[in-house]
Amino acid sequence: MKTRLSLLLSASLLCLGQMPARADDRADAPHAVHAPAHAAPAVERTSSGTVTIGGKTIAYQAVAGTLLVHPQKWDDSDDIVHQETPGSDVHTTDGNPDATASMFYVAYFRKDARPESRPITFVFNGGPGSSSVWLHMGAFGPRRVVTADDTHTPASPYRLIDNPQSLLDATDLVFIDAPGTGFGRITGKDKEKQFWGVDEDAQAFTSFVTQFLAKFGRYNSPKYLFGESYGTMRSAVLINDLQNQENIDFNGVILLSQILSYDNSVDQPTLNPGEDEPFVLALPTYAATAWYHHKLPQQPADLKAFLAEVEHFASTDYLVALQQGAALPQAERARIIDRLHAYTGLPADYIRRADLRIDGGEFSKTLQSDSDTTTGRLDTRFSGPSLDPLSQEAGYDPQSTSISSAYVSLFNDYVRKVLNYGDGLAYRAEIAIPHWDFHYAPGGPDTPASDGPANVMPDLAQALKTNPTLKIMLNAGYFDLATPYYEGIYEMQHLPVPAALQKNIEFQQYQSGHMVYANVPSLTQLHDNIADFIRRTDNQAGPQ
C-alpha cells in the first residue's frame, strides 16, 4: 500500500520522465579532475556573452560543469588513502561502498565586478527529480524561452531571446541540477538511498555549495538561495544545514511557489482524513481560477479585493464548518455550500456530494467539465481537452504539456551550441523518483516515527532563530494549484519563531501560476522585486 508521501510524489510538482544511464566519460573534456573510477569525471566549459538589462549591457562569463558530492559520512582523507592504493577505486564507509553524485551546474559571473563583493545566488527547481532548466531558461538566465501565455505553445521551431529580466544585474547566478538530473549522474551501492530523500538531497546540495564557494573563491560574497516548488522544501533544510553544520550564514532565502509541509497539500488530502487545512488553503486559488475563466455566478471587477474576501471566509466560517464534521447543522451546511458555489463556480450539488471538500485534481477536472475541458494544475490559467470526461480527477496538467517541449528543446540546443557542453550526452530534464525518504527534524528523535509527509517548517525556523539577520522572501502566483499561494502565507505565519522575527519575512503575489515567470508581466515584476530584495539585504556597508 502506498504511503501518502509516495502518492504525493507520484503527483509531483513537475511531470517526471525516464532516466537514461549514460555518464560523461569523454577523454577530451577540459579541466578534468581526479575522481574514483566508478564515478563520472568532473569537467567544465567556459564561454562568454552579454545581456542587456534595464538598458545596460552586462558582460558575463559562463561556466558549465559538474562537481562531485558524497553522502554525509564520507571522509575525504579516506579517499586519499584509496587513491594511493593500486587497484582500489572504491571508497568505503562503515565497510560499505560509498555512492557518488556528479551534479551539473551552469554559473554566470558578471565580468566588471569584484567577485568578493558581488552577491551570488544558488538557484534550483524541485520535483523532487527536476533539473533547473525551468528557472534557467524561463526566468533568470541570460537567454529566455518564448512560450504562449496561457495556451499550448506550437511545436518547433521555438524562439530563444536575450532575457531583459535576467537577475545578472543584481547577482551572479548558479543554476544547480539535483543529483541524477541534467548531465549529473549518481553511482555506487545504494545510490538512490544515499541521495533521494529530504535530508540526503539537502546534504548533497550542502556539499555542492561549500565546494563551489571554495572553488570560485566566493566564501565572502553576499549569498542567497533561490528555490522553486519542492526547491522551497529543500531550501529550508539546506539553509539550516549550511548555517548550523557548515557555519556559513546567508543573507537571504528567496522562495517561489512554496510547500514546507506536505500535510498542507491539496493533492489527495482525503488520504489524510481529519486534516482539513488543505481545503481551506486552496480555496482562494479555486476562487482566482474561477474568476479567470469567468465561471463565477457574479464576476468581481477587482481580483485582489475578491481574494481578500475569500481568504477571510476560508479561515473563519469555512474552517469552523469543516472542523465540525458530521456535527455541522444542516442549515449551516447549506449556507456554506452556497458560499462555496459563489466563490468557486462549482455546482452546489457537487459540493454537497463532496462533503464540502474538493481536492485539487477534482477541481481541475470539474470546473470546466461542461465543455469536456480540464483546467491546469501548475497554472490554472491553462486549459486542455479532458482525457476522460467521466473521470473523477484531472488526468494530466495542461500547463506542463503546453510549455515543456519548448524549454527542453531549446536548452538542449543552447547548452551544446552556446555553452559548449554535453555533446553525445543525454540531458535529463526530469527523472522518475519512486521513493523519497523521510525527514529528520532538527532536535527530533534519531529515527522518525513513520515514513510520512515531510514538514520542514522547524528547519527554516531554526535557521531564522540561529541567524536573526536572515531575510526571507516568498513569491507566489494566484493561479498555482500545485502549491496554493495562501498555503505559503499560512506556513510562514505559523513558523515556530519569536514574533519579532516575522518582520524578516516578506510576501509577493502575482497574476500567474506555479511558474510565475511563464507570464512575462509577472516575470518583470518578479525580477524587480527580487533585485530590490538583494540590494536591500546584501550588507555591502558592513557593520558600522
Side-chain angles (χ1 to χ4, degrees), residues 317-344:
D317 292 4
Y318 184 40
L319 176 61
V320 171
L322 294 181
Q323 288 178 335
Q324 292 181 68
L328 180 66
Q330 288 303 313
E332 180 64 3
R333 181 182 298 272
R335 187 182 76 85
I336 296 298
I337 289 173
D338 286 344
R339 298 315 302 156
L340 290 175
H341 168 66
Y343 289 147
T344 68

Side-chain angles (χ1 to χ4, degrees), residues 439-494:
H439 174 56
Y440 294 90
D446 292 336
T447 56
S450 65
D451 188 4
N455 184 346
V456 300
M457 292 168 64
D459 300 74
L460 188 58
Q462 181 166 298
L464 263 175
K465 287 186 280 191
T466 56
N467 174 14
T469 67
L470 180 69
K471 300 298 190 294
I472 298 173
M473 180 187 192
L474 173 57
N475 301 275
Y478 290 132
F479 307 112
D480 175 11
L481 195 50
T483 57
Y485 80 92
Y486 197 45
E487 170 199 297
I489 295 173
Y490 175 87
E491 289 175 343
M492 284 300 188
Q493 293 179 341
H494 286 78

Side-chain angles (χ1 to χ4, degrees), residues 15 185 239 263 312 349 394-395 415 484 536 544:
C15 297
R185 303 294 184 258
I239 190 62
D263 273 328
H312 178 75
D349 184 60
V415 72
R536 286 187 284 109
Q544 303 299 310

